[in-house]
Amino acid sequence: MGVTGTKEWKKGIIHNAEIDKYLIDGKDYIDNESIFSALTRQSNPDPHFIRDILQKSLSIKTLAPDETAALLQVKDPELWQEINQTAIAVKKKVYDNRIVFFAPLYCANHCVNNCAYCGFREANNLEVRRILTMEEVKRETTSVLKEGHKRLILVFGEHPSTDVDYMIDCIKAVYSVTDIAPKSGQATNIRRVNINAAPMEMAKLRKLKEAGIGTYQVFQETYHRETFANVHPSHTLKGHYRWRLYALHRAIEAGVDDVAIGALFGLYNWKFEVMGLLHHALDLERQFGIGPHTISFPRMTPALGSWLSNNSEYMVSDDHFKKLVAVLRLSVPTAGMIVTAREKAAIKREVLQLGCTQTDASTRIGIGAYSDQQKDFNEESKQFTIGDPRDLDAVIQEVGKLGYISSFCTAGYRCGRTGETIMGMLSHCEESKFCKLNAVLTYREYLNDYASPATKTIGEELIQKELEEIENSDYFRQKPHLLARFRQDYRSIIDGQRDLYL
Ligand code: SAM
Ligand code: SF4
């Protein structure tokens, strides 16, 4: 498409009617003043109030803005200990001891936007541009399958050449690939494809739903309007703060009811962004009865040619990062929380124990980088920098040592446990029971199909403990049919069947 064609294409992207319909009393759900005043009101919170808030989180209820603000403003280190302990307890209650694994697949880096922090931005002449062909998408998928992954998130810039039809082709290409697991010779494939892409109109979102996407993820980047305007030039599509603010409202209305929110930490004050994420979750709950499926909180890392990504005055320290993870865990107890390979192994390990539920491993973010591993991908010629390049087996081994089961479960979305259904189950801590069974089944598959001897030794011990817990649990004893089916599926996997889920 030429320059004129691209200009015309851009004109058709934003639909004001698909923004204003979500206003409540004529107002957006983000209001700078109300966030600042909550933080000021709670600048010195009473410890009794904090303990009441912790009890509320433990009863799996989303916090009110003043409650999250109060947690953010705690100064006493001992009270922070209590906050952290409660965050761990909330995670255990809702998600048990599972970590879900996925891999990102970067399909194209063409982009019409100019986000100041991103290597893919249009004005960055140093970035080598590439769009994967469907054959290349399949090759990438095969490489990711060889690691043992079952869940992918496809990532795109915003460009007419990689608009929704290209995305759908990619989704179909990924689902079409079958590979053979190295240790067992069993067939394997990707079972869930999520998307991280620009905000879209509802008609396109419906097409994505039909193509079988799992979660649709859009990060607001920053909820602070002035900062948003500073880092996203106003003449670009991304410069439209409000089109992005309601991207996930549109998605839910279009039927994509697993939606994922996020903020890029380092652009503005971290406490403000946590409040922004909370308001986003509350507005989705208010308008649709569905909270976010996951929350992401990537910290900005150095990107090629981006001055801001190396020099922002708002970079978040490790100490503040851990605090924001604990506060988010408590604020939206039902949401999954994703820590990515942007983080170094050591900090990732800490926040996985503080309430995160998902992470990526064996991550490559160069376009075509999974299958072209020999090729010299210029370390900087990527959208941002990776902090944890370890392969899946190494991370699974590590989390196993910490007592966590690695899950590749994709059952929820395939059994219709999405949106409102899953939210209800999560808040009654019921989903954790189903997921525990599916986590064990998929962990069994991984141990038989891919695990190194050391990972297998750790995994066998862990899985034995899980099986005992399941057999001795009152919940499952009251559901003998479910338990019987689980036992049968577990045996069938050992006998060579795959992709069994409850
Ligand atoms: N183009 C789509 C969009 O902007 O929504 C797709 C997403 S972009 C390829 C994925 C995410 O990477 C962005 O939403 C942003 O939060 C994050 N990102 C961009 N630059 C980054 C950097 N320097 N460090 C860490 N994350 C970054
Ligand atoms: Fe493009 Fe997304 Fe990067 Fe912005 S963050 S330049 S929209 S790829």
Side-chain angles (χ1 to χ4, degrees), residues 305-336:
S306 159
W307 181 87
L308 181 70
S309 65
N310 288 291
N311 294 285
S312 172
E313 62 177 300
Y314 292 109
M315 289 300 196
V316 178
S317 68
D318 286 354
D319 182 41
H320 289 164
F321 187 63
K322 286 184 263 179
K323 286 183 169 161
L324 76 86
V325 168
V327 173
L328 282 170
R329 175 67 292 149
L330 293 167
S331 298
V332 194
T334 52

Short mmCIF file of all heavy atoms in Angstrom, two decimals, residues 305-336:
data_model
loop_
_atom_site.label_atom_id
_atom_site.label_comp_id
_atom_site.label_asym_id
_atom_site.label_seq_id
_atom_site.Cartn_x
_atom_site.Cartn_y
_atom_site.Cartn_z
N GLY A 305 17.41 3.12 19.69
CA GLY A 305 17.17 4.50 19.26
C GLY A 305 16.13 5.24 20.08
O GLY A 305 15.69 6.32 19.69
N SER A 306 15.72 4.68 21.23
CA SER A 306 14.72 5.38 22.04
C SER A 306 15.41 6.02 23.24
O SER A 306 15.80 5.34 24.18
CB SER A 306 13.64 4.40 22.52
OG SER A 306 12.98 4.94 23.64
N TRP A 307 15.53 7.32 23.19
CA TRP A 307 16.15 8.05 24.29
C TRP A 307 15.35 7.83 25.58
O TRP A 307 15.90 7.55 26.64
CB TRP A 307 16.21 9.54 23.92
CG TRP A 307 16.86 10.37 24.97
CD1 TRP A 307 18.20 10.64 25.12
CD2 TRP A 307 16.22 11.03 26.08
NE1 TRP A 307 18.43 11.41 26.23
CE2 TRP A 307 17.23 11.67 26.84
CE3 TRP A 307 14.88 11.14 26.49
CZ2 TRP A 307 16.94 12.41 27.98
CZ3 TRP A 307 14.61 11.88 27.64
CH2 TRP A 307 15.63 12.50 28.37
N LEU A 308 14.03 7.94 25.45
CA LEU A 308 13.16 7.84 26.63
C LEU A 308 13.33 6.51 27.36
O LEU A 308 13.34 6.47 28.59
CB LEU A 308 11.69 8.00 26.20
CG LEU A 308 10.68 7.94 27.33
CD1 LEU A 308 10.77 9.17 28.23
CD2 LEU A 308 9.26 7.78 26.80
N SER A 309 13.48 5.43 26.59
CA SER A 309 13.53 4.11 27.23
C SER A 309 14.78 3.94 28.10
O SER A 309 14.87 3.02 28.90
CB SER A 309 13.44 2.99 26.19
OG SER A 309 14.56 3.02 25.35
N ASN A 310 15.75 4.85 27.95
CA ASN A 310 16.95 4.79 28.78
C ASN A 310 16.98 5.91 29.82
O ASN A 310 17.82 5.89 30.71
CB ASN A 310 18.20 4.92 27.91
CG ASN A 310 18.46 3.67 27.10
OD1 ASN A 310 18.80 2.64 27.67
ND2 ASN A 310 18.25 3.75 25.80
N ASN A 311 16.13 6.89 29.68
CA ASN A 311 16.30 8.10 30.49
C ASN A 311 15.05 8.59 31.21
O ASN A 311 15.05 9.71 31.72
CB ASN A 311 16.77 9.25 29.58
CG ASN A 311 18.15 8.98 29.03
OD1 ASN A 311 19.13 9.10 29.74
ND2 ASN A 311 18.21 8.60 27.78
N SER A 312 14.01 7.82 31.28
CA SER A 312 12.79 8.32 31.89
C SER A 312 13.00 8.63 33.37
O SER A 312 13.66 7.86 34.08
CB SER A 312 11.67 7.30 31.74
OG SER A 312 10.56 7.73 32.49
N GLU A 313 12.42 9.72 33.85
CA GLU A 313 12.54 10.05 35.28
C GLU A 313 11.62 9.16 36.12
O GLU A 313 11.64 9.21 37.34
CB GLU A 313 12.22 11.53 35.53
CG GLU A 313 10.81 11.90 35.14
CD GLU A 313 10.44 13.35 35.44
OE1 GLU A 313 10.49 13.73 36.63
OE2 GLU A 313 10.09 14.07 34.48
N TYR A 314 10.78 8.36 35.47
CA TYR A 314 9.80 7.56 36.20
C TYR A 314 10.15 6.06 36.25
O TYR A 314 9.30 5.24 36.58
CB TYR A 314 8.40 7.73 35.59
CG TYR A 314 7.86 9.12 35.78
CD1 TYR A 314 7.76 9.99 34.70
CD2 TYR A 314 7.46 9.56 37.04
CE1 TYR A 314 7.26 11.27 34.87
CE2 TYR A 314 6.96 10.83 37.22
CZ TYR A 314 6.86 11.69 36.14
OH TYR A 314 6.37 12.95 36.32
N MET A 315 11.39 5.71 35.90
CA MET A 315 11.78 4.30 35.94
C MET A 315 11.43 3.71 37.32
O MET A 315 11.63 4.38 38.35
CB MET A 315 13.28 4.15 35.73
CG MET A 315 13.73 4.45 34.31
SD MET A 315 12.94 3.36 33.12
CE MET A 315 13.99 3.63 31.70
N VAL A 316 10.94 2.48 37.33
CA VAL A 316 10.46 1.89 38.58
C VAL A 316 11.56 1.00 39.18
O VAL A 316 12.06 0.09 38.50
CB VAL A 316 9.18 1.06 38.30
CG1 VAL A 316 8.67 0.39 39.56
CG2 VAL A 316 8.10 1.95 37.69
N SER A 317 11.91 1.25 40.44
CA SER A 317 12.95 0.45 41.10
C SER A 317 12.41 -0.95 41.39
O SER A 317 11.19 -1.17 41.39
CB SER A 317 13.35 1.11 42.42
OG SER A 317 12.25 1.04 43.31
N ASP A 318 13.31 -1.89 41.70
CA ASP A 318 12.87 -3.25 42.03
C ASP A 318 11.96 -3.23 43.26
O ASP A 318 10.97 -3.96 43.33
CB ASP A 318 14.08 -4.15 42.32
CG ASP A 318 14.80 -4.53 41.04
OD1 ASP A 318 14.30 -4.18 39.94
OD2 ASP A 318 15.89 -5.14 41.13
N ASP A 319 12.30 -2.39 44.23
CA ASP A 319 11.51 -2.33 45.45
C ASP A 319 10.08 -1.88 45.14
O ASP A 319 9.10 -2.50 45.60
CB ASP A 319 12.20 -1.35 46.41
CG ASP A 319 11.45 -1.28 47.72
OD1 ASP A 319 11.02 -2.34 48.19
OD2 ASP A 319 11.27 -0.16 48.26
N HIS A 320 9.95 -0.83 44.36
CA HIS A 320 8.61 -0.36 43.99
C HIS A 320 7.89 -1.38 43.11
O HIS A 320 6.67 -1.53 43.19
CB HIS A 320 8.69 1.00 43.29
CG HIS A 320 9.07 2.11 44.23
ND1 HIS A 320 9.52 3.34 43.81
CD2 HIS A 320 9.07 2.15 45.58
CE1 HIS A 320 9.76 4.09 44.88
NE2 HIS A 320 9.51 3.39 45.95
N PHE A 321 8.64 -2.07 42.26
CA PHE A 321 8.04 -3.07 41.38
C PHE A 321 7.37 -4.17 42.22
O PHE A 321 6.22 -4.56 41.97
CB PHE A 321 9.11 -3.66 40.46
CG PHE A 321 8.57 -4.57 39.39
CD1 PHE A 321 7.70 -4.11 38.42
CD2 PHE A 321 8.94 -5.91 39.34
CE1 PHE A 321 7.18 -4.96 37.44
CE2 PHE A 321 8.45 -6.76 38.36
CZ PHE A 321 7.57 -6.28 37.41
N LYS A 322 8.08 -4.63 43.25
CA LYS A 322 7.51 -5.69 44.09
C LYS A 322 6.26 -5.17 44.80
O LYS A 322 5.26 -5.89 44.95
CB LYS A 322 8.55 -6.18 45.10
CG LYS A 322 9.61 -7.04 44.46
CD LYS A 322 10.58 -7.60 45.47
CE LYS A 322 11.82 -6.76 45.54
NZ LYS A 322 12.80 -7.19 46.51
N LYS A 323 6.31 -3.91 45.23
CA LYS A 323 5.13 -3.34 45.91
C LYS A 323 3.94 -3.26 44.96
O LYS A 323 2.81 -3.58 45.32
CB LYS A 323 5.46 -1.95 46.45
CG LYS A 323 6.37 -2.02 47.67
CD LYS A 323 6.65 -0.69 48.27
CE LYS A 323 7.33 -0.92 49.63
NZ LYS A 323 8.05 0.23 50.13
N LEU A 324 4.20 -2.84 43.73
CA LEU A 324 3.06 -2.70 42.81
C LEU A 324 2.46 -4.07 42.47
O LEU A 324 1.24 -4.20 42.30
CB LEU A 324 3.43 -1.88 41.57
CG LEU A 324 4.25 -2.46 40.42
CD1 LEU A 324 3.39 -3.18 39.41
CD2 LEU A 324 5.00 -1.34 39.73
N VAL A 325 3.31 -5.10 42.42
CA VAL A 325 2.79 -6.45 42.15
C VAL A 325 1.89 -6.89 43.31
O VAL A 325 0.77 -7.36 43.10
CB VAL A 325 3.95 -7.46 41.96
CG1 VAL A 325 3.43 -8.90 41.96
CG2 VAL A 325 4.67 -7.18 40.64
N ALA A 326 2.35 -6.67 44.54
CA ALA A 326 1.54 -7.09 45.70
C ALA A 326 0.23 -6.31 45.74
O ALA A 326 -0.84 -6.89 45.98
CB ALA A 326 2.34 -6.88 46.99
N VAL A 327 0.28 -5.01 45.47
CA VAL A 327 -0.95 -4.20 45.55
C VAL A 327 -1.92 -4.60 44.44
O VAL A 327 -3.13 -4.69 44.67
CB VAL A 327 -0.62 -2.69 45.51
CG1 VAL A 327 -1.90 -1.87 45.43
CG2 VAL A 327 0.18 -2.29 46.75
N LEU A 328 -1.41 -4.87 43.26
CA LEU A 328 -2.31 -5.30 42.17
C LEU A 328 -2.94 -6.66 42.50
O LEU A 328 -4.11 -6.89 42.25
CB LEU A 328 -1.56 -5.39 40.84
CG LEU A 328 -1.31 -4.05 40.13
CD1 LEU A 328 -0.36 -4.24 38.95
CD2 LEU A 328 -2.63 -3.43 39.64
N ARG A 329 -2.11 -7.55 43.08
CA ARG A 329 -2.64 -8.88 43.44
C ARG A 329 -3.84 -8.74 44.39
O ARG A 329 -4.84 -9.42 44.27
CB ARG A 329 -1.51 -9.70 44.09
CG ARG A 329 -1.84 -11.06 44.66
CD ARG A 329 -2.23 -12.10 43.64
NE ARG A 329 -3.47 -11.82 43.00
CZ ARG A 329 -3.80 -12.14 41.75
NH1 ARG A 329 -2.97 -12.77 40.98
NH2 ARG A 329 -4.96 -11.83 41.24
N LEU A 330 -3.69 -7.80 45.35
CA LEU A 330 -4.75 -7.62 46.34
C LEU A 330 -5.92 -6.82 45.77
O LEU A 330 -7.06 -7.02 46.17
CB LEU A 330 -4.18 -6.89 47.56
CG LEU A 330 -3.16 -7.71 48.34
CD1 LEU A 330 -2.41 -6.84 49.32
CD2 LEU A 330 -3.86 -8.86 49.07
N SER A 331 -5.64 -5.92 44.84
CA SER A 331 -6.69 -5.02 44.34
C SER A 331 -7.67 -5.72 43.42
O SER A 331 -8.86 -5.42 43.43
CB SER A 331 -6.06 -3.83 43.61
OG SER A 331 -5.26 -3.10 44.49
N VAL A 332 -7.16 -6.61 42.56
CA VAL A 332 -8.04 -7.32 41.62
C VAL A 332 -7.78 -8.83 41.80
O VAL A 332 -7.10 -9.45 40.98
CB VAL A 332 -7.78 -6.87 40.15
CG1 VAL A 332 -8.92 -7.35 39.25
CG2 VAL A 332 -7.64 -5.37 40.04
N PRO A 333 -8.31 -9.40 42.89
CA PRO A 333 -7.90 -10.77 43.24
C PRO A 333 -8.21 -11.82 42.18
O PRO A 333 -7.54 -12.85 42.12
CB PRO A 333 -8.70 -11.07 44.51
CG PRO A 333 -9.12 -9.76 45.05
CD PRO A 333 -9.23 -8.83 43.88
N THR A 334 -9.20 -11.57 41.33
CA THR A 334 -9.55 -12.61 40.35
C THR A 334 -8.66 -12.57 39.10
O THR A 334 -8.69 -13.52 38.31
CB THR A 334 -11.01 -12.45 39.88
OG1 THR A 334 -11.20 -11.11 39.45
CG2 THR A 334 -11.99 -12.80 40.97
N ALA A 335 -7.92 -11.50 38.89
CA ALA A 335 -7.16 -11.37 37.63
C ALA A 335 -5.89 -12.21 37.65
O ALA A 335 -5.19 -12.28 38.67
CB ALA A 335 -6.80 -9.91 37.38
N GLY A 336 -5.58 -12.84 36.52
CA GLY A 336 -4.27 -13.44 36.35
C GLY A 336 -3.25 -12.31 36.27
O GLY A 336 -3.60 -11.19 35.87
#
